[in-house]
Coordinates of all heavy atoms in Angstrom, one line a residue:
V1 N -13.9 2.4 -2.3 CA -12.8 1.8 -3.0 C -11.9 1.0 -1.9 O -11.8 1.5 -0.8 CB -12.0 2.7 -3.9 CG1 -11.3 3.7 -2.9 CG2 -11.1 2.1 -4.7
E2 N -11.4 -0.2 -2.4 CA -10.6 -0.9 -1.4 C -9.2 -1.1 -2.1 O -9.0 -1.5 -3.3 CB -11.1 -2.3 -1.2 CG -10.2 -3.1 -0.3 CD -10.9 -4.4 0.2 OE1 -12.1 -4.6 -0.1 OE2 -10.1 -5.3 0.7
L3 N -8.1 -0.6 -1.5 CA -6.7 -0.8 -1.9 C -6.1 -1.8 -1.0 O -6.1 -1.8 0.2 CB -6.0 0.6 -1.8 CG -6.6 1.7 -2.5 CD1 -5.8 3.0 -2.2 CD2 -6.8 1.5 -3.9
S4 N -5.5 -2.8 -1.6 CA -4.9 -3.9 -0.8 C -3.4 -3.9 -0.8 O -2.7 -3.8 -1.9 CB -5.4 -5.3 -1.3 OG -6.7 -5.4 -1.2
C5 N -2.8 -4.2 0.3 CA -1.4 -4.3 0.5 C -1.1 -5.7 1.1 O -1.4 -5.9 2.3 CB -0.9 -3.2 1.5 SG 0.8 -3.3 1.9
I6 N -0.9 -6.6 0.3 CA -0.9 -8.1 0.7 C 0.5 -8.4 1.2 O 1.5 -8.3 0.6 CB -1.2 -9.0 -0.4 CG1 -2.7 -8.7 -0.8 CG2 -1.1 -10.5 0.0 CD1 -3.2 -9.4 -2.1
I7 N 0.6 -9.0 2.4 CA 1.8 -9.5 3.0 C 1.8 -11.0 2.8 O 1.0 -11.7 3.4 CB 1.9 -9.1 4.5 CG1 1.9 -7.6 4.6 CG2 3.2 -9.6 5.1 CD1 1.7 -7.1 6.1
K8 N 2.8 -11.5 2.1 CA 2.8 -12.9 1.8 C 3.2 -13.7 3.0 O 2.5 -14.7 3.4 CB 3.8 -13.3 0.6 CG 3.3 -12.7 -0.7 CD 4.2 -13.0 -1.8 CE 3.7 -12.4 -3.1 NZ 4.7 -12.6 -4.2
S9 N 4.3 -13.4 3.7 CA 4.7 -14.1 4.9 C 5.6 -13.2 5.7 O 6.4 -12.4 5.2 CB 5.4 -15.4 4.6 OG 6.6 -15.2 3.9
T10 N 5.5 -13.4 7.0 CA 6.4 -12.6 7.8 C 6.5 -13.3 9.2 O 5.7 -14.0 9.6 CB 5.7 -11.1 8.2 OG1 6.7 -10.4 9.0 CG2 4.4 -11.2 8.8
V11 N 7.7 -13.2 9.7 CA 7.9 -13.8 11.1 C 7.8 -12.7 12.2 O 7.7 -13.1 13.3 CB 9.3 -14.4 11.2 CG1 9.5 -15.6 10.3 CG2 10.5 -13.4 10.9
T12 N 7.7 -11.5 11.8 CA 7.4 -10.5 12.7 C 5.9 -10.6 13.1 O 5.0 -10.5 12.3 CB 7.6 -9.0 12.0 OG1 9.0 -9.0 11.6 CG2 7.4 -7.9 13.0
P13 N 5.7 -10.6 14.5 CA 4.3 -10.9 14.9 C 3.3 -9.8 14.5 O 2.2 -10.1 14.0 CB 4.4 -10.9 16.4 CG 5.9 -10.9 16.7 CD 6.6 -10.6 15.5
H14 N 3.6 -8.5 14.6 CA 2.8 -7.4 14.2 C 3.5 -6.4 13.4 O 4.0 -5.4 14.0 CB 2.2 -6.8 15.5 CG 1.4 -7.7 16.3 ND1 0.1 -8.1 16.0 CD2 1.7 -8.3 17.5 CE1 -0.4 -9.0 16.9 NE2 0.6 -9.1 17.8
P15 N 3.7 -6.6 12.1 CA 4.4 -5.7 11.3 C 3.7 -4.3 11.3 O 2.6 -4.2 11.4 CB 4.4 -6.3 9.9 CG 3.3 -7.3 9.9 CD 3.1 -7.7 11.3
R16 N 4.5 -3.2 11.3 CA 4.0 -1.8 11.2 C 3.6 -1.6 9.8 O 4.3 -1.7 8.9 CB 5.0 -0.9 11.7 CG 4.5 0.5 11.9 CD 5.5 1.5 12.1 NE 6.1 1.8 10.8 CZ 7.4 2.1 10.6 NH1 8.2 2.4 11.6 NH2 7.9 2.3 9.3
I17 N 2.4 -1.1 9.6 CA 1.8 -0.8 8.3 C 1.4 0.7 8.3 O 0.7 1.2 9.2 CB 0.6 -1.7 8.0 CG1 1.1 -3.2 8.0 CG2 -0.1 -1.3 6.7 CD1 0.0 -4.2 7.9
E18 N 1.8 1.4 7.3 CA 1.4 2.8 7.1 C 0.9 3.0 5.7 O 1.4 2.3 4.7 CB 2.6 3.7 7.4 CG 3.2 3.7 8.8 CD 4.4 4.6 8.9 OE1 4.9 5.1 7.9 OE2 4.9 4.6 9.9
W19 N -0.1 3.8 5.6 CA -0.6 4.2 4.2 C -0.3 5.7 4.0 O -0.5 6.5 5.0 CB -2.1 3.9 4.1 CG -2.4 2.5 3.8 CD1 -2.7 1.5 4.7 CD2 -2.5 1.8 2.6 NE1 -2.9 0.3 4.1 CE2 -2.8 0.5 2.8 CE3 -2.3 2.3 1.3 CZ2 -3.0 -0.3 1.7 CZ3 -2.5 1.4 0.2 CH2 -2.8 0.1 0.4
K20 N 0.2 6.1 2.8 CA 0.4 7.5 2.5 C -0.2 7.8 1.2 O -0.4 7.0 0.4 CB 1.9 7.8 2.5 CG 2.6 7.6 3.8 CD 4.1 7.7 3.6 CE 4.9 7.5 5.0 NZ 6.2 7.6 4.9
K21 N -0.6 9.1 1.1 CA -1.2 9.6 -0.1 C -0.2 10.6 -0.8 O 0.3 11.5 -0.1 CB -2.5 10.3 0.1 CG -3.2 11.0 -1.0 CD -4.4 11.7 -0.6 CE -5.1 12.4 -1.8 NZ -6.3 13.1 -1.3
I22 N 0.1 10.4 -2.0 CA 1.1 11.3 -2.7 C 0.3 11.9 -3.9 O -0.1 11.2 -4.8 CB 2.3 10.4 -3.3 CG1 2.9 9.7 -2.1 CG2 3.2 11.3 -4.0 CD1 3.8 8.5 -2.6
R23 N 0.2 13.2 -3.8 CA -0.6 13.9 -4.8 C 0.1 15.3 -5.1 O 0.4 16.0 -4.2 CB -2.0 14.2 -4.4 CG -2.9 15.0 -5.4 CD -4.2 15.2 -4.8 NE -5.0 16.1 -5.6 CZ -6.0 15.7 -6.4 NH1 -6.5 14.6 -6.4 NH2 -6.6 16.7 -7.1
D24 N 0.4 15.6 -6.4 CA 1.0 16.8 -6.8 C 2.4 17.0 -6.1 O 2.7 18.2 -5.6 CB 0.1 18.0 -6.5 CG -1.2 17.9 -7.4 OD1 -1.1 17.4 -8.4 OD2 -2.2 18.4 -6.9
G25 N 3.2 15.9 -5.9 CA 4.4 16.0 -5.2 C 4.4 16.2 -3.7 O 5.5 16.3 -3.1
E26 N 3.2 16.2 -3.2 CA 3.1 16.3 -1.7 C 2.6 14.9 -1.1 O 1.8 14.3 -1.6 CB 2.2 17.4 -1.3 CG 2.6 18.8 -1.6 CD 1.8 19.8 -1.0 OE1 1.1 19.5 0.0 OE2 1.8 20.9 -1.5
T27 N 3.3 14.5 0.0 CA 2.9 13.3 0.7 C 2.3 13.6 2.0 O 2.7 14.4 2.8 CB 4.3 12.4 1.0 OG1 4.9 12.2 -0.3 CG2 3.9 11.1 1.6
S28 N 1.2 12.9 2.3 CA 0.4 13.0 3.5 C 0.1 11.6 4.1 O -0.1 10.7 3.3 CB -0.8 13.9 3.4 OG -1.7 13.3 2.4
Y29 N 0.0 11.6 5.4 CA -0.4 10.3 6.0 C -1.9 10.0 5.8 O -2.7 10.9 6.0 CB -0.1 10.3 7.5 CG 1.3 10.0 7.8 CD1 2.2 11.1 8.3 CD2 2.0 8.8 7.6 CE1 3.5 10.8 8.6 CE2 3.2 8.5 7.9 CZ 4.0 9.6 8.3 OH 5.4 9.4 8.6
V30 N -2.2 8.8 5.5 CA -3.6 8.3 5.6 C -3.8 7.5 6.8 O -4.7 7.7 7.5 CB -3.9 7.5 4.3 CG1 -5.3 6.9 4.3 CG2 -3.7 8.3 3.0
F31 N -3.0 6.5 7.0 CA -3.0 5.6 8.2 C -1.6 5.6 8.8 O -0.7 5.2 8.2 CB -3.4 4.2 7.8 CG -3.5 3.2 8.9 CD1 -4.6 3.4 9.8 CD2 -2.6 2.3 9.2 CE1 -4.8 2.5 10.9 CE2 -2.7 1.3 10.2 CZ -3.9 1.5 11.1
F32 N -1.5 6.1 10.0 CA -0.2 6.2 10.7 C -0.5 6.1 12.2 O -1.5 6.5 12.7 CB 0.4 7.5 10.5 CG 1.7 7.8 11.2 CD1 2.8 7.2 10.8 CD2 1.8 8.7 12.2 CE1 4.0 7.4 11.5 CE2 2.9 8.9 12.9 CZ 4.1 8.2 12.5
D33 N 0.4 5.3 12.9 CA 0.3 5.1 14.3 C -1.0 4.4 14.7 O -1.6 4.8 15.6 CB 0.5 6.4 15.1 CG 0.9 6.3 16.5 OD1 1.4 5.2 16.9 OD2 0.7 7.2 17.3
N34 N -1.3 3.4 13.9 CA -2.6 2.6 14.1 C -3.9 3.4 14.0 O -4.9 3.0 14.6 CB -2.5 1.8 15.3 CG -1.5 0.7 15.2 OD1 -1.5 0.0 14.1 ND2 -0.7 0.4 16.2
K35 N -3.9 4.6 13.4 CA -5.2 5.3 13.2 C -5.2 6.1 11.9 O -4.2 6.5 11.4 CB -5.4 6.1 14.4 CG -4.4 7.3 14.7 CD -4.7 8.0 16.0 CE -3.6 8.9 16.3 NZ -3.0 8.7 17.6
M36 N -6.4 6.4 11.4 CA -6.6 7.2 10.3 C -6.3 8.6 10.6 O -6.4 9.1 11.7 CB -8.0 7.1 9.8 CG -8.4 5.8 9.3 SD -7.5 5.4 7.8 CE -7.8 3.6 7.6
Q37 N -5.8 9.3 9.6 CA -5.3 10.7 9.7 C -6.1 11.7 8.9 O -6.7 11.3 7.9 CB -3.8 10.8 9.3 CG -2.9 9.9 10.1 CD -2.8 10.2 11.5 OE1 -2.7 11.3 11.9 NE2 -2.9 9.2 12.4
G38 N -6.2 12.9 9.3 CA -6.9 13.9 8.5 C -8.3 13.6 8.2 O -9.0 13.0 9.0
D39 N -8.8 14.0 7.0 CA -10.2 13.7 6.7 C -10.5 12.2 6.4 O -11.7 11.8 6.3 CB -10.6 14.5 5.4 CG -9.9 14.0 4.1 OD1 -8.8 13.5 4.2 OD2 -10.6 14.0 3.0
F40 N -9.4 11.4 6.4 CA -9.7 9.9 6.3 C -10.2 9.3 7.6 O -10.8 8.3 7.5 CB -8.4 9.2 5.9 CG -8.0 9.5 4.5 CD1 -7.0 10.4 4.2 CD2 -8.6 8.9 3.4 CE1 -6.7 10.7 2.9 CE2 -8.3 9.1 2.1 CZ -7.3 10.1 1.9
A41 N -10.1 10.1 8.7 CA -10.5 9.6 10.0 C -12.0 9.3 10.0 O -12.4 8.4 10.7 CB -10.1 10.6 11.1
T42 N -12.8 10.0 9.2 CA -14.2 9.9 9.3 C -14.8 9.1 8.1 O -16.0 8.7 8.0 CB -14.9 11.2 9.2 OG1 -14.5 11.9 8.0 CG2 -14.6 12.0 10.5
R43 N -13.9 8.7 7.1 CA -14.4 8.0 5.9 C -13.6 6.9 5.4 O -13.7 6.4 4.3 CB -14.7 9.0 4.8 CG -13.5 9.8 4.4 CD -13.8 10.9 3.4 NE -12.7 11.4 2.8 CZ -12.2 11.0 1.6 NH1 -12.8 10.1 0.9 NH2 -11.1 11.5 1.1
A44 N -12.6 6.4 6.2 CA -11.8 5.3 5.8 C -11.6 4.4 6.9 O -11.7 4.7 8.1 CB -10.4 5.8 5.2
E45 N -11.2 3.1 6.7 CA -10.9 2.1 7.6 C -9.9 1.1 7.1 O -9.8 0.9 5.8 CB -12.1 1.4 8.1 CG -12.9 0.6 7.1 CD -14.1 0.0 7.6 OE1 -14.2 -0.5 8.7 OE2 -15.1 0.0 6.8
I46 N -9.3 0.4 8.0 CA -8.4 -0.7 7.6 C -9.1 -2.1 7.8 O -9.7 -2.3 8.9 CB -7.2 -0.7 8.4 CG1 -6.3 0.6 8.2 CG2 -6.3 -2.0 8.3 CD1 -5.7 0.6 6.8
L47 N -9.1 -2.9 6.8 CA -9.7 -4.3 6.9 C -8.6 -5.3 6.9 O -7.7 -5.2 6.1 CB -10.7 -4.5 5.7 CG -11.9 -3.6 5.7 CD1 -12.7 -4.1 4.4 CD2 -12.8 -3.8 6.9
S48 N -8.8 -6.4 7.6 CA -7.9 -7.5 7.6 C -6.4 -7.0 7.8 O -5.5 -7.6 7.2 CB -8.0 -8.3 6.4 OG -9.3 -8.8 6.2
Q49 N -6.1 -5.9 8.5 CA -4.9 -5.5 8.9 C -4.1 -4.8 7.8 O -3.2 -3.9 8.0 CB -4.0 -6.5 9.5 CG -2.9 -6.1 10.4 CD -2.2 -7.3 11.0 OE1 -1.9 -8.3 10.4 NE2 -1.8 -7.2 12.3
T50 N -4.5 -5.0 6.5 CA -3.7 -4.5 5.4 C -4.4 -3.7 4.3 O -3.8 -3.0 3.5 CB -2.8 -5.6 4.7 OG1 -3.8 -6.6 4.2 CG2 -1.9 -6.2 5.7
S51 N -5.7 -3.9 4.2 CA -6.5 -3.3 3.1 C -7.1 -2.0 3.6 O -7.7 -1.8 4.7 CB -7.6 -4.2 2.6 OG -7.1 -5.3 2.0
L52 N -6.9 -0.9 2.7 CA -7.4 0.4 3.0 C -8.8 0.6 2.2 O -8.8 0.4 1.0 CB -6.4 1.4 2.6 CG -6.9 2.9 2.6 CD1 -7.1 3.4 4.0 CD2 -5.8 3.8 2.0
V53 N -9.8 0.9 3.0 CA -11.1 1.1 2.4 C -11.4 2.6 2.5 O -11.5 3.1 3.7 CB -12.2 0.2 3.0 CG1 -13.6 0.6 2.4 CG2 -11.9 -1.2 2.8
I54 N -11.7 3.3 1.4 CA -12.0 4.7 1.4 C -13.4 4.8 0.9 O -13.8 4.4 -0.1 CB -11.2 5.5 0.5 CG1 -9.7 5.3 0.8 CG2 -11.5 7.0 0.6 CD1 -8.7 5.9 -0.2
K55 N -14.3 5.4 1.8 CA -15.8 5.6 1.5 C -15.9 7.0 0.9 O -15.3 7.9 1.1 CB -16.6 5.4 2.8 CG -16.4 4.1 3.4 CD -17.0 4.1 4.8 CE -16.7 2.8 5.5 NZ -17.0 2.8 7.0
N56 N -17.0 7.0 0.1 CA -17.4 8.3 -0.5 C -16.3 8.9 -1.2 O -15.9 10.1 -1.0 CB -18.0 9.3 0.5 CG -19.2 8.7 1.2 OD1 -19.9 8.0 0.7 ND2 -19.2 8.9 2.6
T57 N -15.6 8.2 -2.1 CA -14.5 8.7 -2.9 C -14.9 9.8 -3.8 O -16.0 9.8 -4.4 CB -13.8 7.6 -3.7 OG1 -14.7 7.0 -4.5 CG2 -13.1 6.7 -2.8
T58 N -14.0 10.8 -4.0 CA -14.2 11.9 -4.9 C -13.0 12.1 -5.7 O -12.0 11.5 -5.5 CB -14.4 13.2 -4.2 OG1 -13.3 13.7 -3.5 CG2 -15.6 13.2 -3.1
R59 N -13.0 13.0 -6.7 CA -11.9 13.2 -7.6 C -10.7 13.7 -6.7 O -9.5 13.5 -7.1 CB -12.2 14.2 -8.6 CG -13.0 13.7 -9.8 CD -13.1 14.6 -11.0 NE -14.4 14.4 -11.5 CZ -15.3 15.4 -11.7 NH1 -14.9 16.7 -11.4 NH2 -16.5 15.2 -12.1
M60 N -10.9 14.3 -5.6 CA -9.9 14.8 -4.7 C -9.0 13.5 -4.2 O -7.9 13.7 -3.7 CB -10.3 15.6 -3.6 CG -10.9 16.9 -4.0 SD -9.7 17.9 -4.9 CE -8.5 18.3 -3.6
D61 N -9.6 12.4 -4.2 CA -8.9 11.1 -3.7 C -7.9 10.6 -4.9 O -7.2 9.7 -4.5 CB -9.9 10.1 -3.3 CG -10.6 10.5 -2.1 OD1 -10.0 11.0 -1.1 OD2 -11.8 10.3 -2.1
T62 N -8.0 11.1 -6.1 CA -7.1 10.7 -7.1 C -5.7 10.9 -6.6 O -5.3 12.1 -6.4 CB -7.4 11.4 -8.4 OG1 -8.8 10.9 -8.9 CG2 -6.4 11.1 -9.5
A63 N -4.9 9.9 -6.6 CA -3.5 10.1 -6.2 C -2.8 8.7 -6.2 O -3.4 7.7 -6.5 CB -3.4 10.6 -4.7
T64 N -1.5 8.7 -5.8 CA -0.8 7.5 -5.6 C -0.9 7.2 -4.1 O -0.6 8.1 -3.3 CB 0.7 7.6 -6.1 OG1 0.7 7.9 -7.5 CG2 1.5 6.3 -5.8
Y65 N -1.2 6.0 -3.8 CA -1.3 5.6 -2.4 C -0.1 4.6 -2.1 O 0.0 3.6 -2.9 CB -2.7 4.9 -2.1 CG -3.7 6.0 -2.0 CD1 -4.3 6.4 -3.2 CD2 -4.1 6.6 -0.9 CE1 -5.3 7.4 -3.2 CE2 -5.1 7.6 -0.8 CZ -5.6 8.0 -2.0 OH -6.6 9.0 -2.0
R66 N 0.7 4.8 -1.1 CA 1.8 4.0 -0.8 C 1.5 3.2 0.4 O 1.2 3.8 1.5 CB 3.0 4.8 -0.7 CG 4.2 3.9 -0.3 CD 5.5 4.7 -0.1 NE 5.9 5.3 -1.4 CZ 6.5 6.4 -1.6 NH1 6.9 7.2 -0.6 NH2 6.8 6.9 -2.9
C67 N 1.6 1.9 0.4 CA 1.6 1.1 1.6 C 3.0 0.7 2.0 O 3.8 0.2 1.2 CB 0.8 -0.3 1.3 SG 0.8 -1.3 2.6
E68 N 3.4 1.0 3.2 CA 4.7 0.7 3.7 C 4.6 -0.3 4.8 O 3.8 0.0 5.7 CB 5.4 1.9 4.2 CG 5.7 3.0 3.1 CD 6.4 4.2 3.6 OE1 6.6 4.4 4.8 OE2 6.6 5.1 2.7
V69 N 5.4 -1.4 4.7 CA 5.3 -2.4 5.8 C 6.7 -2.5 6.4 O 7.7 -2.7 5.6 CB 4.9 -3.8 5.2 CG1 4.9 -4.8 6.3 CG2 3.6 -3.7 4.5
A70 N 6.8 -2.5 7.7 CA 8.1 -2.6 8.4 C 7.9 -3.9 9.3 O 7.1 -4.0 10.2 CB 8.4 -1.4 9.3
A71 N 8.9 -4.8 9.0 CA 8.9 -6.1 9.8 C 10.3 -6.3 10.3 O 11.0 -7.0 9.6 CB 8.4 -7.2 8.8
P72 N 10.6 -5.7 11.4 CA 12.0 -5.8 11.9 C 12.6 -7.2 12.1 O 13.8 -7.3 12.0 CB 12.0 -5.0 13.2 CG 10.6 -4.6 13.4 CD 9.8 -5.0 12.3
S73 N 11.7 -8.3 12.3 CA 12.3 -9.6 12.5 C 12.6 -10.3 11.2 O 13.1 -11.5 11.2 CB 11.3 -10.4 13.4 OG 11.2 -9.7 14.7
D74 N 12.2 -9.8 10.1 CA 12.3 -10.4 8.8 C 13.6 -10.2 8.2 O 14.3 -9.1 8.5 CB 11.1 -10.1 8.0 CG 9.9 -10.7 8.3 OD1 9.3 -10.4 9.5 OD2 9.3 -11.5 7.6
T75 N 14.0 -11.0 7.2 CA 15.2 -10.7 6.4 C 15.1 -9.4 5.6 O 16.0 -8.5 5.6 CB 15.4 -11.8 5.3 OG1 15.4 -13.1 6.1 CG2 16.6 -11.6 4.6
K76 N 13.9 -9.2 5.0 CA 13.6 -7.9 4.3 C 12.8 -7.0 5.4 O 11.6 -7.4 5.5 CB 12.9 -8.1 3.0 CG 12.7 -6.9 2.2 CD 12.2 -7.1 0.8 CE 12.2 -6.0 0.0 NZ 11.8 -6.2 -1.4
T77 N 13.4 -6.1 6.0 CA 12.8 -5.4 7.1 C 11.8 -4.4 6.7 O 10.9 -4.0 7.5 CB 13.9 -4.7 8.0 OG1 14.6 -3.8 7.2 CG2 14.8 -5.8 8.7
I78 N 11.8 -3.9 5.5 CA 10.9 -2.9 5.1 C 10.6 -3.0 3.6 O 11.4 -3.4 2.8 CB 11.3 -1.4 5.3 CG1 10.2 -0.4 5.1 CG2 12.6 -1.0 4.5 CD1 10.4 0.9 5.9
D79 N 9.3 -2.8 3.2 CA 8.9 -2.9 1.8 C 7.8 -2.0 1.6 O 7.1 -1.6 2.5 CB 8.6 -4.4 1.5 CG 8.7 -4.7 0.0 OD1 9.1 -3.7 -0.8 OD2 8.6 -5.8 -0.5
E80 N 7.5 -1.7 0.3 CA 6.4 -0.8 0.0 C 5.8 -1.1 -1.4 O 6.5 -1.8 -2.2 CB 6.9 0.7 0.0 CG 7.9 1.0 -1.1 CD 8.5 2.4 -0.9 OE1 8.6 2.8 0.2 OE2 8.6 3.0 -2.0
I81 N 4.6 -0.7 -1.6 CA 3.9 -0.8 -2.9 C 3.2 0.5 -3.2 O 2.6 1.1 -2.2 CB 3.0 -2.0 -2.9 CG1 2.4 -2.3 -4.3 CG2 1.9 -1.9 -1.9 CD1 1.6 -3.5 -4.5
N82 N 3.2 0.9 -4.4 CA 2.5 2.1 -4.8 C 1.2 1.7 -5.6 O 1.4 0.9 -6.6 CB 3.3 3.0 -5.6 CG 4.4 3.7 -4.8 OD1 4.2 4.1 -3.6 ND2 5.6 3.9 -5.3
I83 N 0.1 2.3 -5.4 CA -1.1 2.0 -6.1 C -1.6 3.3 -6.6 O -1.9 4.2 -5.8 CB -2.1 1.2 -5.2 CG1 -1.6 0.0 -4.6 CG2 -3.5 1.1 -5.9 CD1 -2.4 -0.6 -3.5
Q84 N -1.8 3.4 -7.9 CA -2.4 4.6 -8.6 C -3.9 4.4 -8.5 O -4.5 3.6 -9.1 CB -1.9 4.8 -9.9 CG -2.4 6.0 -10.7 CD -2.0 7.3 -10.0 OE1 -0.8 7.5 -9.6 NE2 -2.9 8.2 -9.8
L85 N -4.6 5.4 -7.8 CA -6.0 5.4 -7.8 C -6.5 6.7 -8.7 O -6.0 7.8 -8.4 CB -6.5 5.6 -6.4 CG -8.1 5.8 -6.2 CD1 -8.8 4.6 -6.7 CD2 -8.4 6.2 -4.8
T86 N -7.4 6.5 -9.6 CA -8.0 7.5 -10.4 C -9.5 7.4 -10.2 O -10.1 6.4 -10.5 CB -7.6 7.3 -11.9 OG1 -6.2 7.3 -12.0 CG2 -8.2 8.4 -12.7
V87 N -10.1 8.5 -9.7 CA -11.5 8.5 -9.5 C -12.1 9.4 -10.6 O -11.6 10.6 -10.8 CB -11.8 9.2 -8.1 CG1 -13.3 9.2 -7.9 CG2 -11.2 8.4 -7.0
Q88 N -12.9 8.9 -11.4 CA -13.6 9.5 -12.5 C -14.6 10.6 -12.2 O -15.3 10.4 -11.2 CB -14.1 8.5 -13.5 CG -13.1 7.5 -14.0 CD -12.2 8.1 -15.0 OE1 -12.4 9.1 -15.7 NE2 -10.9 7.7 -15.0

């Protein structure tokens, strides 16, 4: 599955991008400090700097995924989007 966090425009050369997984009220890192975290390290990757690709998805991946972008040089320095993923 591919989840996209599209950045329309930014003047910040390399905005910081983080992905988090929110399930049952608990938040955990998926992509932080430029690397995959936890079990995602062996089955997920970042494409084109902003898209999260999760391989071999299972029902345990059903959650809300939050993409957070920090661009300190921009007028809007931080923004986020939530994507609900449901694996049948």
Side-chain angles (χ1 to χ4, degrees):
V1 67
E2 181 175 346
L3 305 177
S4 294
C5 180
I6 297 170
I7 301 172
K8 292 181 180 175
S9 66
T10 181
V11 295
T12 302
H14 300 285
R16 188 191 73 207
I17 298 167
E18 295 176 357
W19 281 92
K20 296 177 181 175
K21 176 182 177 182
I22 304 161
R23 181 181 169 113
D24 298 329
E26 292 190 24
T27 302
S28 58
Y29 281 108
V30 175
F31 182 74
F32 176 73
D33 201 20
N34 286 320
K35 59 184 175 238
M36 290 297 165
Q37 304 294 315
D39 72 323
F40 291 100
T42 58
R43 60 189 192 94
E45 64 181 322
I46 296 293
L47 293 181
S48 302
Q49 207 176 37
T50 57
S51 292
L52 172 66
V53 176
I54 305 171
K55 301 170 189 167
N56 303 319
T57 54
T58 68
R59 284 190 218 127
M60 291 301 295
D61 294 314
T62 295
T64 299
Y65 289 82
R66 177 181 294 150
C67 173
E68 296 178 359
V69 179
S73 300
D74 287 64
T75 305
K76 189 169 189 177
T77 58
I78 192 160
D79 205 357
E80 65 185 38
I81 186 172
N82 290 323
I83 301 169
Q84 179 63 47
L85 174 66
T86 303
V87 181
Q88 299 291 326

